[in-house]
Amino acid sequence: MMKTQMANELVSTDSLNDLRARLRQFTAERHWEQFHTPKNLASALIVEAAELLEPFQWLSSGRADELGAEKLQAVRHEMADVMAYLIMLAEQLNIDLIAATNEKIQLNALKYPSDIVRGDARKYDEYK
């Protein structure tokens, strides 16, 4: 339990830059840089995203209480894989994920004005 608690504390205090550095070191120690091309990382990201969906298959809602402890742990690990590959892809393409996400939130705010779309899940082009 102490080991898990320590791991959770480390994860919760790491910044995106800290994770990027840890992933860079992990990769370098294994001499995997040669495999981490943008195409390969994007492909791996899609595979992991698909694996993230698997624990939810056949559930009605997929809420935490419906998943149970084992499936929730699987989701947690798949989410970590998705995040790791996304961070490594951003590193390869020199993309600031925080800046890109903030930019995308602003663009989405323009496409989905809250006074028009509140409580409605249609795509932006269906509001015109």
Side-chain angles (χ1 to χ4, degrees):
M1 170 131 171
M2 182 60 116
K3 187 175 182 180
T4 303
Q5 183 179 3
M6 288 173 54
N8 288 341
E9 288 173 10
L10 177 64
V11 170
S12 65
T13 59
D14 278 354
S15 72
L16 191 57
N17 287 332
D18 292 337
L19 286 173
R20 206 172 191 166
R22 291 185 70 210
L23 287 165
R24 193 180 310 117
Q25 178 182 355
F26 180 89
T27 300
E29 288 172 351
R30 288 153 182 81
H31 301 287
W32 286 351
E33 302 92 339
Q34 62 186 321
F35 308 116
H36 288 186
T37 64
K39 179 197 77 68
N40 287 351
L41 290 169
S43 296
L45 175 63
I46 293 302
V47 169
E48 294 301 337
E51 290 177 5
L52 173 60
L53 186 57
E54 188 176 11
F56 295 98
Q57 190 173 14
W58 312 120
L59 300 179
S60 344
S61 68
R63 291 186 176 88
D65 61 336
E66 188 180 9
L67 282 165
E70 188 176 313
K71 285 185 179 180
L72 190 57
Q73 180 72 5
V75 166
R76 183 173 180 252
H77 288 162
E78 295 305 336
M79 289 174 72
D81 287 341
V82 167
M83 186 167 176
Y85 281 120
L86 184 61
I87 291 169
M88 290 187 290
L89 179 58
E91 166 117 339
Q92 287 295 313
L93 298 174
N94 197 30
I95 292 174
D96 179 333
L97 283 173
I98 302 296
T101 303
N102 283 324
E103 179 182 336
K104 187 63 177 180
I105 291 169
Q106 288 177 334
L107 291 170
N108 283 340
L110 295 173
K111 285 171 42 174
Y112 297 98
S114 61
D115 59 326
I116 295 173
V117 304
R118 183 171 285 112
D120 192 341
R122 290 179 291 165
K123 191 173 175 183
Y124 68 92
D125 62 355
E126 296 179 45
Y127 289 100
K128 300 187 186 234

